[in-house]
Structures are given as C-alpha cells and as structure tokens.
Amino acid sequence: MMNNSNQQHIEDHKSKTNKNYLLLLVVNYVCLFLGSTSSTLLSKFYFNHKGSSRWVSTWVQTGGFPLLIIPIYLPYFLKCTERKPFTHFTKRLLILSVFVGIMLGINNLLYSWGNSYLPVSTSSLLLSSQLVFNLILSVLIVKQKVTFSNLNCVILLTLSSVLLALASSNDKPTNISRAKYFIGFFCTIGAGLLFALYLPVMEKIYKKVYCYQMVMEMQLLMQVVATTLACIGMAFDGGFSEMMKESRELFDKGPTWYWVTVFSNVITWQLCFMGTAGMVFLTSSLTGGICMTALMAINVLGGVVVYKDEFGGVKVVSTALCCWGFCSYVYGLYVKMKEEGREKKEVEKSNHVREMVHMANDIP
C-alpha cells in the first residue's frame, strides 16, 4: 500500500501533464535566477567594499537553512497537502542527507578558498569545466542519454564560460604567494568536480523521493550539516571574531551595511539552492547544471547594469553563445515533451480502441 502510494506521488509531481508541474518548474527557475544573480551582485558588493573573509563566503551559502521551514510547513498549514512534514522520512534518507550535506559543506569551503586565492578569470575558467564533468557523471550515475541537443548546449556554454574568463584576464591576485595560488587552483578544481558529482547524486536520490516537500526536507538537513561544518571550522580558525572585526574595522560601508549585505546574501543563496534542488527533482541534474551555467552570462549582464562593468566584444560573443546554447536546449526539451505527449495520446487511443473491441465482443 505504501509503495503504491509513494509511486502515485512520484507520478503526480513529476508528470509533465500535471497542472502543478509547470508551476513548480517556473517557481524553481525563478528562485534559481533571482538567487544566482542576486548572490553574485551581493558578493561583488561585499568584496568591492573590502570584505575578504573566506569563512563568511562559506557560511552564507548554507547559513539560511531555517528559511527552508517556510516551503516545508506552509503548504501543510494552508491545507495544500495532507502530508505532514517529515512523514515517511526514512532512516536511509536521513543518512543520505547527512552524507550529501558533508559533501556540500566541503564543496562550499573549497569554492570559497579557491575564490580567495585566485583571480576571477582563473576561477571562472576552472569552474567552466564543471558542466562537462556534470554531463559525464550524469551518463555514468543516472544513465543520462547524450543527444545532439544537450551535447551542443554543453559545448556552447563551456565555450561561453571560457571566453568570459578570458575577458577578465587582467584580474590579478594581490599579495598571494605561489603556494597559496596553487592551493586556490586545486581547491577550485575540487569544488567544480564535487559540484558536478553533487547534481547527479541528488538526481539518483530524488528518484526515491515521492513529493516536492521531501526535497525541501532533505535540503534542510543537508544544509544543517554543511552549516555545522562551517561553524566548527570558524570556531577553530577564529572565523566568528574575524567577522566581527571585519564588520567594525575593514568594511568601508560600516557595520550596518556589512550585516545587511551578509544576511541578504544568506537569503539569496537559499533561493539559489532551493531552485537548483527543484530543477534537479523536476527535470534532471544535467538540466540543473545547464541552467546554472547559463546564468553565468546573465550575472555578467547584471554587473554591467548595476556596477557599470565594461561590456566589450568578448563578453558580447560569450553572452550570445550562452543564449544560443540555452535556447537550443530548451527547444530540444520542448520537442521531446511534444513527442512524449503524442506517444501518450497514441497509447490512450490504442487502449480505447482495444476496450471498444473487447466490449463489442462481449455483446451476445
């Protein structure tokens, strides 16, 4: 009985013909879009005004986990679902959430340390390779089919990211030793590989999850674990006192703007992770990775609009490649959905004809 019920939930939430599917998909992509662009702009604001703490960059990525209580409990209190939060949340899911939370915490730390030791151009160039790794790992872990649509998109988005990195080639690290530069290099490579692994692993786990609320519940537990790791690291390395000192003495906009920036970044990172998890659950890990990579170009445009960054020829070409790749992938998904819909109608029609023939044969 329970297995049948769970399977029905899976069909209800992931079926592309379900009336809530498109709404959930749009809401999650909007969260990913707003979270990615806003967190990038806020991070730039933080660093532009002499913020420099690696621990702050690590902590803000998952420190807003209490906000996930809203999408977990609100549908239940609004009577949108009869399922109580954390109902049928098995011990296996708990263990998997802790494991992925540890992986996420390590990824956040590697990402922050890599960014602190590398110029923007080098960091972007290294991270641009994660989409290729994502495709390879998706094929190996979740048996993702390689089509012209997704392969073309991966190639174009990777080229777009590489060009974007080359456009920032004048960025140079200041007061960074050769040893620290190599630490940053390998930390960034590690972060890219770990996140490329994180997405298909999550898709594999989500195949056992029967509703969207459980996705958010798993996200909550993962981020609790990741934040705990960050807090332990901060406690041992003096990260908390570093935050207080930075807010009072280093951040040139003053303590008030410092904490507004930090907590705003906490909120936007939650939107980003929530959107990513939803995209992976509703579509695939490759689609989630493609959407995140495509937003890198949008983040560039955000910098042009908000901070008046230069928008030269290389960035124009990079943005065009990004739009081309993303639009070709979306069109491929659209064609696939139409084909699936046509096949479903043909099956239903065939079943209807078979029933009519059966009824006719039963007539004496």
Side-chain angles (χ1 to χ4, degrees):
M1 289 286 289
M2 185 59 64
N3 289 337
N4 291 337
S5 175
N6 289 357
Q7 183 63 35
Q8 183 63 43
H9 277 295
I10 290 175
E11 293 171 355
D12 287 344
H13 282 269
K14 292 189 175 183
S15 173
K16 295 178 177 61
T17 58
N18 186 277
K19 62 180 181 179
N20 292 324
Y21 175 84
L22 187 59
L23 176 62
L24 272 177
L25 192 63
V26 170
V27 167
N28 279 278
Y29 189 75
V30 169
C31 287
L32 178 58
F33 176 84
L34 293 176
S36 177
T37 52
S38 300
S39 61
T40 300
L41 293 173
L42 285 167
S43 295
K44 185 162 186 175
F45 180 82
Y46 169 76
F47 288 113
N48 282 351
H49 295 286
K50 299 182 180 179
S52 60
S53 173
R54 294 185 295 271
W55 286 116
V56 171
S57 300
T58 303
W59 184 80
V60 297
Q61 293 181 60
T62 54
F65 65 84
L67 295 172
L68 291 174
I69 292 174
I70 297 172
I72 290 174
Y73 282 91
L74 190 61
Y76 177 71
F77 288 125
L78 293 179
K79 307 298 182 182
C80 297
T81 177
E82 295 181 0
R83 176 186 175 274
K84 292 182 179 180
F86 293 97
T87 301
H88 309 310
F89 198 92
T90 64
K91 185 178 180 180
R92 181 173 180 272
L93 285 179
L94 176 62
I95 294 171
L96 288 172
S97 298
V98 171
F99 169 74
V100 178
I102 293 171
M103 188 167 70
L104 184 62
I106 295 171
N107 174 77
N108 293 344
L109 184 61
L110 290 174
Y111 177 80
S112 299
W113 279 60
N115 274 351
S116 68
Y117 287 146
L118 290 180
V120 174
S121 58
T122 306
S123 178
S124 300
L125 189 60
L126 294 174
L127 288 173
S128 67
S129 62
Q130 74 179 27
L131 190 57
V132 177
F133 292 131
N134 185 12
L135 175 60
I136 295 170
L137 292 171
S138 294
V139 171
L140 295 174
I141 296 174
V142 294
K143 311 303 179 186
Q144 172 73 49
K145 291 182 179 179
V146 179
T147 64
F148 172 78
S149 176
N150 58 34
L151 185 60
N152 176 62
C153 181
V154 167
I155 292 171
L156 290 174
L157 288 180
T158 303
L159 285 174
S160 172
S161 300
V162 169
L163 284 175
L164 197 59
L166 295 176
S168 305
S169 59
N170 291 327
D171 298 326
K172 295 185 182 297
T174 57
N175 301 322
I176 297 296
S177 66
R178 187 177 181 84
K180 288 184 176 180
Y181 184 86
F182 278 109
I183 290 173
F185 183 91
F186 288 111
C187 281
T188 305
I189 285 287
L193 285 170
L194 207 53
F195 195 76
L197 175 63
Y198 165 80
L199 292 175
V201 166
M202 289 312 304
E203 182 181 353
K204 186 83 171 178
I205 295 172
Y206 287 158
K207 290 182 184 296
K208 306 295 183 182
V209 172
Y210 66 81
C211 66
Y212 182 76
Q213 286 76 19
M214 289 188 79
V215 173
M216 293 297 104
E217 290 161 7
M218 288 190 69
Q219 279 294 305
L220 176 64
L221 292 175
M222 291 174 201
Q223 296 195 26
V224 167
V225 173
T227 305
T228 301
L229 286 178
C231 289
I232 292 172
M234 291 177 76
F236 277 98
D237 197 40
F240 291 107
S241 58
E242 183 182 352
M243 285 178 72
M244 299 303 296
K245 180 181 178 181
E246 188 175 68
S247 67
R248 291 192 303 264
E249 301 175 13
L250 300 177
F251 198 71
D252 60 17
K253 285 289 185 178
T256 301
W257 274 105
Y258 178 84
W259 293 111
V260 168
T261 303
V262 168
F263 286 109
S264 296
N265 218 346
V266 164
I267 294 171
T268 56
W269 269 107
Q270 282 308 306
L271 288 174
C272 191
F273 274 115
M274 179 179 170
T276 303
M279 292 296 290
V280 172
F281 174 69
L282 295 168
T283 56
S284 68
S285 56
L286 183 61
T287 300
I290 284 172
C291 290
M292 292 188 70
T293 306
L295 285 173
M296 288 177 67
I298 304 300
N299 293 341
V300 172
L301 295 177
V304 172
V305 173
V306 177
Y307 296 111
K308 310 302 178 186
D309 292 347
E310 293 184 7
F311 193 60
V314 177
K315 288 186 179 180
V316 172
V317 174
S318 173
T319 304
L321 284 173
C322 179
C323 293
W324 178 14
F326 185 67
C327 290
S328 69
Y329 184 72
V330 171
Y331 178 73
L333 288 179
Y334 170 73
V335 171
K336 183 181 178 183
M337 287 176 66
K338 284 192 69 175
E339 290 177 352
E340 289 176 351
R342 192 183 303 115
E343 289 175 359
K344 184 177 181 181
K345 286 182 179 179
E346 289 177 357
V347 170
E348 290 175 350
K349 184 178 179 180
S350 176
N351 290 338
H352 180 68
V353 170
R354 196 176 293 113
E355 288 176 3
M356 293 293 291
V357 171
H358 183 71
M359 290 173 63
N361 291 335
D362 288 342
I363 297 175

